[in-house]
Amino acid sequence: MNRRELAATLSRAGLREYQIQGVHEPDWLPEAFPYLRGEAGRWIVGICERGTYTPIRDFREEDTACRFFQSLMRHATPPPPPAGIFDEEAPGLLKRMERWGRVAWSEYRRARRRSGGGGSGRGGSGPPGPHPGDQR
């Protein structure tokens, strides 16, 4: 197995938060993520946390390093949710989020009126322009 095959396998499994030198280097990564990179003729597998790279193991062969990295990812990362798990919940969730947004803006405007900061909540130090949650 080489780095490209490893990245393809991890991608098919739905995993994205890792770094493989020269193959998978996303613009955004979490505070801590596993990495695989080559250094001085060796393959290093480790964890990067807040910009500090800490090696776990190093290998002579790319294949061995890739297989170790794959095992690390498989056992250290929870599996992705089954496809379509949120499809049934999405419409209700979106409706609730819209309602919460309307309630939040209503409470904000009510608090501004009570404090003498303006009736509509717009202008001055209020929110910029209309909000999708505003009722008209």
Side-chain angles (χ1 to χ4, degrees):
M1 174 182 292
N2 65 34
R3 292 173 292 155
R4 293 188 195 307
E5 293 167 334
L6 172 62
T9 299
L10 296 176
S11 179
R12 281 191 301 274
L15 304 173
R16 305 274 184 272
E17 297 177 343
Y18 59 89
Q19 185 179 61
I20 298 176
Q21 182 182 35
V23 177
H24 183 81
E25 298 184 25
D27 292 334
W28 180 89
L29 286 165
E31 281 187 22
F33 59 89
Y35 69 88
L36 169 66
R37 62 183 181 188
E39 291 181 5
R42 311 260 321 155
W43 293 97
I44 311 297
V45 174
I47 302 293
C48 179
E49 187 171 12
R50 297 181 181 173
T52 302
Y53 287 82
T54 305
I56 296 173
R57 289 191 54 191
D58 68 286
F59 303 87
R60 290 183 187 165
E61 303 288 326
E62 180 179 12
D63 176 71
T64 310
C66 288
R67 291 183 189 284
F68 178 80
F69 191 85
Q70 181 182 17
S71 175
L72 178 72
M73 291 294 291
R74 189 176 330 134
H75 294 98
T77 306
I85 193 168
F86 299 109
D87 293 346
E88 295 172 8
E89 298 175 10
L93 178 61
L94 291 176
K95 285 180 182 177
R96 287 193 306 274
M97 288 176 65
E98 289 172 4
R99 186 176 69 241
W100 295 334
R102 286 191 303 273
V103 168
W105 279 107
S106 174
E107 291 296 319
Y108 170 78
R109 287 189 294 275
R110 186 176 302 132
R112 295 252 316 152
R113 281 192 299 272
R114 273 186 258 142
S115 69
S120 70
R122 295 193 183 113
S125 62
H131 184 273
D134 284 347
Q135 292 180 343
R136 294 193 161 98

